[in-house]
């Protein structure tokens, strides 16, 4: 175990309803702590219960667990966006040395990511972009696989961000240390199952080809500046290998609303999220955690 915790500051951005707040609330509540404890003793997530992070955990308990969904995050003013602090301990396993991460995060409203791709909004988002560069790590959470989104929304937003990165690198070489985790959320969706997933090849390259090409060219894998991940805050109904029930742990209202944007947790007693910690681990250490549970 490392003696000095790694401190990592992350900004979470991504389009509306991509699952950012649900991700953080699930990370705070960590519903599968007990299951994981027996398999990975020493894995713990802690924070001050009385803080904003504690409020997140209570949102998971009072809203998500009861089969409702969180309200969309308001764009607000950059100074009013809360900071969430977590301490994540990861035990030594599978040849990876354990670590302790002191994590600071902020969750941006989806509207901000969407404004990145809109030229005439660029003035409004300057303070948010400034704040992105306060952190060394970004998590960009995406969810839509509709082909239109690839070129209409994601590509222009990433072009804008990478333009900002290269402009600022000229004057501040430290920005070369910035890492970006691009995370596909809600991956319990039937198209992919945990354990059969190579997010980069099976998901991003196929579903979001233009965005993928651009990112792969701008941040080539050898630079270790950008990686692709997949997660699900809801998970599937069972994650036991001897009783593999791959049904997504979600229900979709039958009012015709989009499955990608409007799902609820189905069975709170079988709540096994996956892929929540891997992007944080990589952002913090630059190394990959090859474990789908995490
Ligand atoms: N199927 C599924 N739905 C999810 C998952 N995580 C979140 N959702 C649903 O996605 C919708 C949006 O979730 P939010 O967490 O509010 O999304 P957000 O990115 O914070 O949205 P904004 O605050 O508007 O930017 C809600 O209906 C959630 O229940 C998941 O892992 N799987
Ligand atoms: Mg939100």
């Amino acid at each position: 175990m490392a003696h000095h915790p790694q401190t990592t500051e992350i900004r979470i951005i991504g389009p509306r309803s991509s699952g950012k707040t649900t991700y953080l609330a699930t990370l705070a509540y960590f519903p599968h702590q007990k299951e994981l404890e027996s398999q990975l003793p020493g894995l713990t997530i802690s924070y001050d219960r009385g803080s904003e992070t504690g409020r997140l955990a209570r949102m998971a308990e009072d809203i998500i667990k009861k089969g409702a969904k969180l309200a969309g995050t308001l764009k607000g003013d950059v100074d009013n966006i809360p900071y969430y602090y977590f301490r994540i301990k990861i035990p030594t396993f599978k040849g990876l040395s354990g670590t302790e991460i002191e994590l600071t995060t902020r969750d941006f409203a989806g509207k901000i990511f969407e404004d990145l791709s809109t030229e005439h909004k660029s003035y409004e988002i300057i303070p948010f972009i400034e704040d992105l560069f306060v952190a060394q790590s970004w998590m960009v959470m995406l969810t839509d696989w509709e082909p239109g989104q690839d070129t209409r929304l994601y590509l222009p937003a990433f072009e804008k961000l990478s333009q900002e990165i290269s402009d600022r690198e000229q004057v501040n070489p430290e920005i070369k240390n910035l890492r970006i985790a691009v995370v596909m959320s809600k991956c319990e969706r039937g198209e992919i199952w945990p354990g059969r997933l190579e997010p980069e090849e099976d998901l991003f390259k196929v579903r979001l080809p233009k965005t993928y090409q651009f990112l792969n060219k701008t941040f080539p894998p050898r630079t270790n500046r950008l990686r692709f991940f997949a997660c699900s805050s809801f998970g599937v109904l069972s994650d036991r290998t001897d009783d593999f029930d791959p049904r997504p742990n979600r229900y979709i209202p039958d009012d015709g609303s989009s499955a990608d944007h409007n799902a609820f947790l189905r069975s709170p007693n079988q709540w096994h999220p996956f892929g929540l910690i891997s992007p944080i681990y990589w952002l913090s250490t630059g190394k990959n955690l090859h474990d789908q549970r995490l």
Side-chain angles (χ1 to χ4, degrees):
M1 182 71 64
H3 290 289
H4 298 289
Q6 314 247 12
T7 52
T8 301
E9 182 150 0
I10 297 181
R11 295 291 176 271
I12 305 189
I13 59 171
R16 265 178 288 188
S17 295
S18 60
K20 302 176 293 298
T21 309
T22 302
Y23 167 91
L24 282 175
T26 306
L27 184 70
Y29 187 59
F30 218 58
H32 54 331
Q33 171 79 45
K34 283 236 155 54
E35 284 161 34
L36 282 176
E37 235 163 43
S38 57
Q39 302 161 21
L40 293 169
L43 177 75
T44 60
I45 297 189
S46 52
Y47 48 83
D48 174 359
R49 306 268 148 193
S51 67
E52 288 287 338
T53 321
R55 197 177 56 83
L56 263 185
R58 287 189 294 280
M59 277 164 42
E61 171 125 51
D62 299 342
I63 302 174
I64 303 171
K65 203 173 167 183
K66 301 213 162 102
K69 67 172 181 177
L70 304 178
T73 306
L74 297 175
K75 181 169 163 185
D77 191 78
V78 76
D79 298 328
N80 298 331
I81 301 177
Y83 291 87
Y84 302 116
Y85 302 98
F86 296 87
R87 179 177 286 250
I88 303 177
K89 281 192 194 162
I90 297 166
T92 299
F93 76 107
K94 287 192 201 159
L96 270 176
S97 52
T99 188
E100 193 172 330
I101 301 169
E102 258 176 15
L103 175 68
T104 302
T105 65
R106 291 184 108 181
D107 171 26
F108 281 23
K111 184 79 176 59
I112 292 156
F113 183 85
E114 298 181 4
D115 288 351
L116 285 171
S117 54
T118 322
E119 206 50 60
H120 69 272
K121 294 278 189 173
S122 50
Y123 190 73
E124 277 176 44
I125 55 168
I126 290 171
F128 295 96
I129 293 181
E130 292 299 332
D131 186 67
L132 284 178
F133 283 93
V134 170
Q136 322 80 351
S137 307
W138 300 347
M139 185 184 293
V140 186
M141 192 164 273
L142 307 178
T143 190
D144 256 320
W145 300 345
E146 290 148 33
Q149 296 291 70
D150 186 22
T151 48
R152 188 190 61 79
L153 177 60
Y154 303 155
L155 183 61
F158 279 114
E159 282 171 341
K160 169 78 176 157
L161 289 173
S162 78
Q163 186 61 50
E164 291 287 337
I165 292 171
S166 60
D167 290 351
R168 286 159 198 255
E169 265 170 7
Q170 312 294 323
V171 283
N172 181 1
E174 265 187 31
I175 289 174
K176 294 218 157 57
N177 300 324
L178 176 74
R179 293 198 187 106
I180 307 172
V182 185
V183 182
M184 186 65 83
S185 66
K186 314 185 189 179
C187 279
E188 86 289 344
R189 286 176 291 179
E191 296 84 339
I192 32 169
W193 308 122
R196 283 204 226 138
L197 179 67
E198 224 312 330
E200 176 164 355
E201 293 293 319
D202 302 347
L203 209 50
F204 290 94
K205 211 172 185 171
V206 180
R207 309 271 177 194
L208 304 172
K210 290 285 185 289
T211 304
Y212 175 79
Q213 273 167 28
F214 173 77
L215 292 175
N216 199 49
K217 188 180 83 211
T218 314
F219 306 101
R222 64 178 158 75
T223 62
N224 203 29
R225 296 186 75 185
L226 185 141
R227 294 264 165 222
F228 297 95
F229 296 88
C231 79
S232 170
S233 297
F234 289 179
V236 288
L237 287 174
S238 171
D239 64 355
R240 284 172 51 194
T241 40
D242 55 341
D243 165 32
F244 190 74
D245 182 349
R247 282 178 301 154
N249 189 0
R250 55 133 195 243
Y251 71 90
I252 296 159
D254 52 13
D255 59 3
S257 54
S258 143
D260 281 349
H261 294 125
N262 233 346
F264 304 85
L265 185 72
R266 174 183 291 272
S267 173
N269 299 326
Q270 292 166 284
W271 190 0
H272 329 278
F274 60 82
L276 305 183
I277 294 179
S278 299
I280 297 172
Y281 185 86
W282 175 76
L283 286 170
S284 169
T285 65
K287 293 190 201 115
N288 274 314
L289 257 189
H290 294 286
D291 190 306
Q292 332 131 7
R293 293 166 298 180
L294 306 179

